[in-house]
Amino acid sequence: NAGVTQTPKFQVLKTGQSMTLQCAQDMNHNSMYWYRQDPGMGLRLIYYSASEGTTDKGEVPNGYNVSRLNKREFSLRLESAAPSQTSVYFCASSEFLGQVVKGSYEQYFGPGTRLTVT
Amino acid sequence: GQQVMQIPQYQHVQEGEDFTTYCNSSTTLSNIQWYKQRPGGHPVFLIQLVKSGEVKKQKRLTFQFGEAKKNSSLHITATQTTDVGTYFCAGRGNQGGKLIFGQGTELSVKP
């Protein structure tokens, strides 16, 4: 069981370039998430997918697009990278989004992608 | 919208001292989770609290959920160097939906 895997681990882009961050999980989870982490800002949700076939915006979706390719894979695309998108990107998954009685489900995070945009 | 504030942002302690981080929400939460991120690593789930006034312990770590379900705390007794890292709380609103993470508290422990 690899858990949540992300590629690449590191990436340097020039302003205006595009790229796709890949994420896959082997835990048969229904929900997947993309976060960015910046110093002093914590983890901010970019997009999430509650279940296969659905995607929704999080707190900071501008400049990003996502694709839930199948139950295992959830990719994040930067169409035209900007220096403000320099960050560490984490993908995460959970069995489900949550339930009123049971609460939220534990999220499992990937190792992260360090992206620098110059 | 829902906000989760966490304080302090940084805490430096001597090994053996206690440590507490606080999490406050602008709205009532249905549940709160705590995660730990080691330097250079990724967040790892520690625990979830669901009930009003709930207290849970994991060895030297004590987690509390406020009576009004708008605040929570994590207390570490007698810190060790292995406790170093950033601790995040994450809350889910009463209307459901996704978790909102606090900004995190970075703990450093001097041996």
Side-chain angles (χ1 to χ4, degrees), chain A residues 75-96:
Chain A
S75 63
L76 179 71
R77 183 157 178 86
L78 287 70
E79 288 293 349
S80 179
S84 61
Q85 293 177 305
T86 293
S87 188
V88 180
Y89 291 85
F90 287 102
C91 176
S93 72
S94 64
E95 190 175 353
F96 292 101

Side-chain angles (χ1 to χ4, degrees), chain A residues 10-105:
Chain A
F10 301 92
Q11 184 72 48
V12 179
L13 289 179
K14 292 192 168 137
T15 297
Q17 286 185 319
S18 62
M19 80 161 295
T20 300
L21 280 64
Q22 307 286 354
C23 174
Q25 52 90 10
D26 62 1
M27 296 173 281
N28 200 35
H29 284 171
N30 291 279
S31 302
M32 297 186 74
Y33 315 82
W34 276 105
Y35 293 91
R36 59 176 290 172
Q37 183 173 31
D38 304 290
M41 305 289 286
L43 291 158
R44 292 185 292 169
L45 185 65
I46 305 170
Y47 272 93
Y48 68 103
S49 170
S51 60
E52 186 180 358
T54 69
T55 60
D56 283 290
K57 294 179 181 179
E59 300 168 70
V60 289
N62 291 346
Y64 305 95
N65 282 302
V66 290
S67 295
R68 183 76 184 265
L69 303 167
N70 46 56
K71 192 171 185 180
R72 288 187 63 248
E73 297 171 287
F74 189 38
S75 63
L76 179 71
R77 183 157 178 86
L78 287 70
E79 288 293 349
S80 179
S84 61
Q85 293 177 305
T86 293
S87 188
V88 180
Y89 291 85
F90 287 102
C91 176
S93 72
S94 64
E95 190 175 353
F96 292 101
L97 198 62
Q99 294 177 358
V100 172
V101 173
K102 192 168 181 170
S104 304
Y105 285 79

